[in-house]
Amino acid sequence: MEFEIKPIAPVPPAEIDFDNLGFTFIPTEKMYVARYEGGAWTDHGLMPVGEFWMHPAAGAYHYGQALFEGTKARLTNDGEIVLFRAGDNARRMADGCRRLMMPAYDEGQFVEAVKQTVLANKAYLPTDEQGALYIRPVMFASGPVLGVKPADEYLFVVFVSPVGPYFKGGFHPIKLKVSKEYHRAPAEGVGSVKAAGNYAAGMYPNSLAKEEGYAELLYLDVNHEHFEEVGAANFFLRKGEELATPSLEDLSILPGYTRESVLQLAVDEGLNAAERDVMLPEIYDADECFCTGTAAVITPIGVVNVEGEDVTIGDGGVGKYSRLFYDQLNAIMLKEAPDKYGWVTTIGKK
Ligand code: PLP
Ligand code: COI
């Protein structure tokens, strides 16, 4: 492929401490790149992981035309490499493209790009006990603009990195802080797509929560009446037989595929799975809360701080359904349980 990059030296797999993976970028061998130019996507293919040179007026830099996705490749006990719902990531990126006026990348080609990138870096795939190969598809405006308008050129890139758990400590209850001062994304804004700017906006408020010892913020709607989501994961609250998660109606919340999968598992368990406004006071007598996401998987929530008061959820430990859905989801993802809904794709062997 004709393309100028400055290669980044890959870390040889033998030098990686796979037993202590965090959630940081480790350069692997290959990334997938496609370029949008002259009204069409072109130059699709694998190349060494490297740095791009971009125009100083690139649209991504000042007007934030940038989207990303996150999915994982995992290794089954039989040495098979599996993906979970990667086609849904493709669709979500296409939705984001429409919202940010970026040129959609073909959904089938997106999945193909993910597969090729994983297989080209399979030496970096941890065992399931160690973690997963995190896959980061990203699209950004590389073409120059000055007036506020969509750029004419874009790059689509897929890179991977071996990762351990997103929240320190793995499957353990985390502490969250309810944010009354900051919001993640307004209704009818871009909260429902994976716009890079949503994450930039969350960094400062999140850093304040971290300074106080909380793993993340739990965001509310602008009227501080109901929950929205965690900075990088969806939110669930169970009381008795009802498992509720905030509805997606006002377009402020990211429609997570882990969220959708858990709603399905909840129905299968005979729970009343509800997508509705989950009101702030419900936190005081919740039986359990957890958050869901590709990176977070299912992370139990032990404590939620509301206006300075630490509210312990249930007994502060891992809730019954947090554990059940964590186990069920992992079993499906690793082909240890039937894949009733066609969520898992086997793409090769290590
Ligand atoms: N909410 C936000 C803001 C996220 O960034 C993510 C992660 O992608 C999620 C929710 C969970 O989405 P998914 O389960 O599709 O990974
Ligand atoms: C994911 O769960 O894949 C995400 O994209 C969350 C993240 C910002 C690490």
Side-chain angles (χ1 to χ4, degrees):
M1 181 193 314
E2 239 184 81
F3 205 78
E4 289 281 321
I5 60 151
K6 186 172 147 209
I8 298 169
V11 178
E15 287 175 19
I16 297 173
D17 182 2
F18 279 102
D19 292 327
N20 292 295
L21 290 170
F23 203 87
T24 52
F25 177 65
I26 299 174
T28 67
E29 302 253 337
K30 298 283 189 198
M31 62 183 183
Y32 182 99
V33 180
R35 191 152 52 145
Y36 185 85
E37 244 184 29
W41 284 103
T42 156
D43 279 350
H44 315 248
L46 291 168
M47 55 180 5
V49 171
E51 293 173 4
F52 304 103
W53 289 100
M54 286 217 297
H55 196 289
Y61 287 156
H62 36 180
Y63 299 132
Q65 272 189 300
L67 286 166
F68 73 97
E69 270 302 327
T71 185
K72 277 176 177 168
R74 293 175 70 177
L75 195 60
T76 70
N77 272 337
D78 297 335
E80 288 181 324
I81 304 170
V82 286
L83 298 177
F84 184 71
R85 303 190 68 164
D88 293 304
N89 294 95
R91 197 166 321 131
R92 191 165 60 190
M93 183 171 265
D95 289 343
C97 286
R98 266 187 294 281
R99 184 64 180 83
L100 299 190
M101 290 194 77
M102 296 165 67
Y105 195 67
D106 179 81
E107 292 175 28
Q109 189 62 33
F110 176 109
V111 176
E112 184 54 32
V114 165
K115 282 185 192 167
Q116 285 187 22
T117 316
V118 170
L119 293 176
N121 292 291
K122 67 181 181 180
Y124 290 88
L125 197 75
T127 64
D128 192 59
E129 291 75 51
Q130 294 167 328
L133 194 65
Y134 187 78
I135 305 157
R136 177 52 61 85
V138 44
M139 189 193 292
F140 46 90
S142 50
V145 283
L146 195 55
V148 182
K149 68 176 186 74
D152 291 332
E153 289 168 23
Y154 295 81
L155 290 171
F156 170 72
V157 181
V158 183
F159 63 83
V160 297
S161 180
V163 296
Y166 184 65
F167 290 116
K168 279 200 192 91
F171 192 68
H172 285 293
I174 55 168
K175 287 167 67 175
L176 296 179
K177 182 174 168 159
V178 167
S179 173
K180 284 208 159 178
E181 286 164 301
Y182 298 97
H183 295 279
R184 194 189 83 90
E188 321 298 335
V190 294
S192 63
V193 299
K194 266 179 99 74
N198 289 337
Y199 300 80
M203 285 178 193
Y204 176 64
N206 203 31
S207 75
L208 300 179
K210 283 209 160 89
E211 269 171 28
E212 292 178 43
Y214 297 93
E216 264 268 24
L217 282 178
L218 178 50
Y219 289 101
L220 300 175
D221 72 301
V222 281
N223 298 318
H224 300 163
E225 286 170 351
H226 51 84
F227 292 105
E228 296 227 309
E229 63 179 315
V230 184
N234 293 117
F235 176 68
F236 281 82
L237 181 147
R238 183 181 67 83
K239 174 74 184 161
E241 298 300 297
E242 191 207 48
L243 181 69
T245 191
S247 99
L248 303 175
E249 227 162 86
D250 70 6
L251 300 184
S252 58
I253 296 174
L254 193 82
Y257 296 111
T258 322
R259 170 189 182 278
E260 204 178 273
S261 310
V262 166
L263 283 169
Q264 184 60 58
L265 296 179
V267 170
D268 295 351
E269 279 307 308
L271 288 176
N272 170 16
E275 293 178 82
R276 60 168 177 82
D277 286 347
V278 181
M279 309 309 286
L280 177 57
E282 292 184 54
I283 201 75
Y284 295 104
D285 63 349
D287 290 331
E288 68 179 293
C289 293
F290 56 85
C291 53
T292 64
T294 298
V297 194
I298 288 180
T299 300
I301 300 168
V303 167
V304 174
N305 183 282
V306 188
E307 290 182 288
E309 183 200 347
D310 273 348
V311 180
T312 301
I313 313 297
D315 63 4
V318 176
K320 175 176 163 194
Y321 287 95
S322 313
R323 162 60 70 190
L324 182 74
F325 295 143
Y326 179 82
D327 289 343
Q328 287 184 348
L329 206 53
N330 276 308
I332 295 169
M333 287 172 168
L334 295 170
K335 298 177 74 172
E336 287 160 10
D339 176 23
K340 284 199 283 184
Y341 303 104
W343 290 335
V344 179
T345 313
T346 306
I347 61 166
K349 280 219 151 207
K350 188 163 175 184

